[in-house]
Every structure is written in structure tokens, then in C-alpha cells.
Amino acid sequence: MEESTSREKVLKKVRHALIYKTDNPFPHVDFDSPVYKPMGDTPDVNFAQEFTKVGGVFIYCENEAEVAATLSALNIECNWQNIYCTEPELQYLLTQAGVPFDSDEESLQQLNVGITSCEFLISRLGSIMVSSKNSRRLNVYPETHVVIAYVDQLVDDLKDAFIAVQKKYSGKLPSMLSVITGPSRTADIEKTLVMGAHGPRQLFVILVETPASEDEI
């Protein structure tokens, strides 16, 4: 009996392909070797170079005491207003720095600066991997996004970031994973570059070497 519809013809071909599998025509392809050449610098230096190339502001701190001092200086220099932060560890640093911030939902509509952590920093790309654990809104909504990360969050490539995040959450991934590369920008309209079109126009990364004890802050 002839197939009456194109759908039946397609399904028959699919069934045939599932039953009679063909051999791999390229059995000796190497899928494990790195695609990219080794980076010429250490991961932190390479990240800083690539991140600044795409318009980010990179700041290195030896410990959390320096982070607090840096946040205080940036708050004065940039005249930050309406800072929003929801993560207790970062709230502690802001408190030590004497930088006022909000964390309640009512203040969210007025925020100008969002301060968050991240999942990983991707050295080769100068990119930041964030997830719903770091807030869905603070890396998109404010004019300025400040990311505080530690040296042990640096990975070489995007592949390494995905492997690390799977290991971190034991396969139970956050509901959202995203990769940020520089401040938001677009040139869709008449090829004119516009900053902050779909997210923050300023992006800071404060990279911390080691956590400080409470006595050092």
C-alpha cells in the first residue's frame, strides 16, 4: 500500500534510519583536544586584557579589605546613587565600606547600580558567566553592573565553565545561565553604536585574590 501523505514517507525514513544505523564515516576524529591555542598569559591577565577590550572596567584586589576600600572610592568617584544588592556576603562588604544600598523589592525600580557575584570568569573571552543564583535582574536592569569575583572562579574556556558549573551544582543546574561579554551595546540603528541599549552601559569586574578574615576588614 502506498503512503498517502508526505508525513508517512518521512516517518518511514526515520524508522528505517533508527533500525539500520550506518557506521561513523569519521571514526578517528579527535573531539578531546583543545580547539584553541594555549593562552600566552596567566588566566587573570588574559581575562583582564580581553575584558577591557570589550569596554569593561577591571579592578584587581588582593583581599576583601581592598574590595571594601575600592567600593568606597568608586561610590565617591562615580557618584553612585540607588545601589542594590541582595547577596549577604556582598552586603557585608558594602557595609564595611560605608556604602549605602537597598535590597527590598520596593527599591528595585529606582536602582542605578547592581552589585552581584557570578559563577565563573572565562579568561579567553573576557566574559562572565552568571546564573539565576546571582540574580536574574541585576545584570540587566541597572545602568551600572558591578561583579565581585575570586581568582578561583577563573576558567580558561567556555567549555570549562560549563563543566565547572555542572560539577558545582551536581547536575542540578540553575534555571538560568547566561554569559556576559562587556557592557550592553548595539549598532542596529543606522550603524550607530549605542551603549546600554539592552542592559548596563557600564560593567565593572572586581577580581579578588583571596578572601580576608573579619579581623582584616
Side-chain angles (χ1 to χ4, degrees):
M1 180 178 177
E2 295 184 1
E3 295 86 351
S4 58
T5 65
S6 298
R7 178 175 178 273
E8 290 176 355
K9 294 179 181 179
V10 171
L11 290 176
K12 182 177 180 180
K13 291 181 180 180
V14 171
R15 284 194 295 268
H16 186 273
L18 291 173
I19 296 172
Y20 304 100
K21 296 182 179 180
T22 58
D23 295 331
N24 182 0
F26 307 104
H28 303 298
V29 175
D30 182 4
F31 291 102
D32 297 321
S33 297
V35 176
Y36 302 103
K37 294 180 180 179
M39 291 181 290
D41 291 297
T42 58
D44 53 345
V45 172
N46 201 84
F47 176 85
Q49 292 173 340
E50 296 302 319
F51 182 66
T52 54
K53 282 180 185 178
V54 294
V57 179
F58 177 84
I59 301 171
Y60 173 83
C61 294
E62 287 191 358
N63 51 48
E64 290 176 350
E66 284 194 14
V67 176
T70 297
L71 289 171
S72 178
L74 285 173
N75 182 48
I76 296 171
E77 179 183 346
C78 302
N79 191 28
W80 283 346
Q81 303 292 326
N82 303 320
I83 300 170
Y84 198 88
C85 179
T86 60
E87 300 176 54
E89 297 83 358
L90 304 186
Q91 290 176 347
Y92 176 76
L93 290 174
L94 288 167
T95 300
Q96 297 301 310
V99 176
F101 64 90
D102 288 309
S103 60
D104 59 278
E105 289 289 327
E106 294 180 359
S107 303
L108 185 62
Q109 298 297 323
Q110 286 77 44
L111 88 152
N112 299 115
V113 181
I115 298 181
T116 75
S117 61
C118 68
E119 295 295 346
F120 296 100
L121 302 178
I122 303 167
S123 179
R124 188 181 299 279
L125 305 177
S127 300
I128 308 161
M129 175 177 279
V130 296
S131 76
S132 52
K133 301 291 185 180
N134 316 121
S135 175
R136 289 178 177 272
R137 296 171 289 189
L138 296 189
N139 52 67
V140 177
Y141 189 78
E143 294 179 0
T144 301
H145 181 200
V146 180
V147 176
I148 298 177
Y150 293 86
V151 168
D152 61 4
Q153 291 176 279
L154 281 162
V155 296
D156 287 346
D157 293 300
L158 184 60
K159 177 185 72 174
D160 302 314
F162 281 118
I163 293 172
V165 79
Q166 287 180 328
K167 182 178 180 181
K168 178 179 178 180
Y169 293 103
S170 301
K172 299 178 180 179
L173 296 176
S175 57
M176 183 275 290
L177 283 172
S178 183
V179 175
I180 302 169
T181 304
S184 173
R185 66 186 69 200
T186 183
D188 291 344
I189 302 174
E190 297 183 355
K191 306 298 182 183
T192 300
L193 181 63
V194 177
M195 302 297 293
H198 309 295
R201 64 174 64 243
Q202 282 189 311
L203 180 60
F204 291 78
V205 165
I206 300 176
L207 182 64
V208 192
E209 181 69 33
T210 55
S213 66
E214 292 186 10
D215 294 335
E216 293 178 301
I217 297 180

